[in-house]
Amino acid sequence: MTTEVTRSEERGRYELTVDGTLAGVVEFRLRSGRIVFTHAEVGDAFEGRGLGSALAEGALTDAASRGETIVPACPFIARYLRRHDVPGAEVDWPEE
């Protein structure tokens, strides 16, 4: 199984493909050097394989490498950040 996470600026999302098939997305909005993650979703046919975590890791690692401040408005992304270290990530937690 080959997985790849890519950023689609024009669609405002990161896309996870599995063997070339779109398996999940993380949607975002860019705001003055900040990336606000708003929604994450993995297709039903791909659930239970840890692909959500792979998608989150890929998206967050890429955003951190670009120097963008991460704003986890999406509950899934927020949970991932609480449980995992993302090297170089600067996180601006939204008020709850």
Side-chain angles (χ1 to χ4, degrees), residues 40-89:
E41 185 175 337
V42 172
D44 293 343
F46 298 94
E47 289 184 356
R49 301 189 212 174
L51 294 172
S53 291
L55 175 56
E57 177 184 18
L60 293 165
T61 299
D62 181 72
S65 74
R66 293 170 185 255
E68 296 167 336
T69 298
I70 296 165
V71 181
C74 167
F76 180 80
I77 295 296
R79 276 193 309 276
Y80 184 89
L81 283 168
R82 284 187 180 99
R83 296 177 182 168
H84 300 89
D85 181 45
V86 177

Side-chain angles (χ1 to χ4, degrees), residues 11-70:
R11 291 184 175 149
R13 68 187 194 183
Y14 283 90
E15 300 174 340
L16 169 71
T17 57
V18 175
D19 297 329
T21 301
L22 183 65
V25 298
V26 174
E27 297 171 354
F28 65 83
R29 292 187 322 256
L30 295 174
R31 301 282 187 264
S32 304
R34 296 160 42 102
I35 184 166
V36 181
F37 287 97
T38 58
H39 178 73
E41 185 175 337
V42 172
D44 293 343
F46 298 94
E47 289 184 356
R49 301 189 212 174
L51 294 172
S53 291
L55 175 56
E57 177 184 18
L60 293 165
T61 299
D62 181 72
S65 74
R66 293 170 185 255
E68 296 167 336
T69 298
I70 296 165

